[in-house]
Amino acid sequence: MRRSSADIIREYGPFPEVERVAGVTYDGRHVWFASGDRLNALDPDSGETVRAIAVPAHAGTAFDGEHLFQIAEDRIQRIDPQSGRVVATIPAPGGGGDSGLAWAEGSLWVGQYRDRKIHQIDPRTGAILRTIESNRYVTGVTWVDGELWHGMWDGEESELRRIDPRTGAVLETIDMPPGAGVSGLESDGADRFFCGSGTSGKLRAVRRPRRDAAGR
């Protein structure tokens, strides 16, 4: 298993009137982060919050190229980012114990925090298609280049973990500094991960490990 320490490129925040950063996603231009009663759009280059949508936003956030998806307690909302309107809802598989949300391959991937699971679900119905077991708490989920990563946060310890999407076996870990929790995880599809940091009210950009020609 490959192991490294996090290279934190940049910190954002704390932000005004944001007590907690939960879910995180990226739409190709802005980083969206959930903060309880709204979704906030951050320009990652300027560090400025450029927009907010007033919608319940308690945990994971995802973007499918057209809509935002946002966990609100025991349901997942599909949101039109242009109007801010909730256009559909489906049940969350953990019934309120969910943390982490990602879009990939036409499915939503939902972390179930204390049960240490990641579910692949049908985005139209919420039906569980399959479940992957982890051996640590799941506090964020993202896919990038065919790799499944999840955030882990347990006390003062937190990690970004790449796992085998078939077995859940841990393939790689990136250790975060002590006290730098991970609540929400997203990749920009290139060389950055964006990580929420719970009640610190901050976002962190972490450098994604480079691969050699063999993909190692």
Side-chain angles (χ1 to χ4, degrees):
M1 183 186 76
R2 182 174 176 176
R3 189 171 204 109
S4 62
S5 298
D7 179 4
I8 297 176
I9 306 167
R10 185 169 178 179
E11 284 192 345
Y12 303 94
F15 304 95
E17 301 180 359
V18 171
E19 296 182 353
R20 182 176 186 275
V21 176
V24 181
T25 195
Y26 183 65
D27 67 5
R29 183 180 177 192
H30 298 126
V31 179
W32 290 84
F33 63 94
S35 61
D37 59 357
R38 67 181 189 270
L39 266 168
N40 311 271
L42 172 80
D43 181 329
D45 295 325
S46 69
E48 297 296 322
T49 303
V50 296
R51 190 182 163 206
I53 297 174
V55 64
H58 304 131
T61 312
F63 182 67
D64 70 352
E66 181 178 2
H67 292 100
L68 294 162
F69 293 83
Q70 179 58 53
I71 295 175
E73 297 183 342
D74 61 353
R75 65 190 188 279
I76 299 172
Q77 307 163 107
R78 184 195 298 252
I79 301 163
D80 179 344
Q82 303 305 318
S83 67
R85 188 169 65 91
V86 176
V87 298
T89 61
I90 56 175
D98 311 273
S99 62
L101 190 62
W103 175 271
E105 303 170 350
S107 297
L108 285 170
W109 298 75
V110 189
Q112 195 171 341
Y113 172 48
R114 291 193 176 277
D115 289 327
R116 309 178 185 196
K117 295 178 180 177
I118 299 171
H119 302 289
Q120 180 186 8
I121 70 169
D122 186 322
R124 296 165 301 175
T125 65
I128 296 175
L129 305 176
R130 68 183 175 113
T131 297
I132 301 166
E133 304 277 350
S134 180
N135 58 4
R136 301 299 298 271
Y137 293 146
V138 177
T139 60
V141 182
T142 191
W143 279 90
V144 55
D145 293 340
E147 298 177 351
L148 176 60
W149 290 78
H150 83 76
M152 186 285 293
W153 185 2
D154 187 358
E156 291 294 303
E157 182 184 2
S158 59
E159 301 171 346
L160 310 184
R161 323 177 95 211
R162 178 166 64 92
I163 65 172
D164 187 315
R166 297 163 300 172
T167 66
V170 181
L171 305 175
E172 180 174 358
T173 65
I174 301 173
D175 297 328
M176 296 292 284
V182 177
S183 60
L185 175 65
E186 177 64 297
S187 165
D188 67 353
D191 60 355
R192 292 177 295 183
F193 289 114
F194 295 107
C195 307
S197 60
T199 54
S200 78
K202 295 182 179 179
L203 274 170
R204 295 186 175 95
V206 175
R207 192 180 308 282
R208 182 183 165 211
R210 293 179 181 275
R211 305 288 183 220
D212 61 21
R216 295 173 294 187

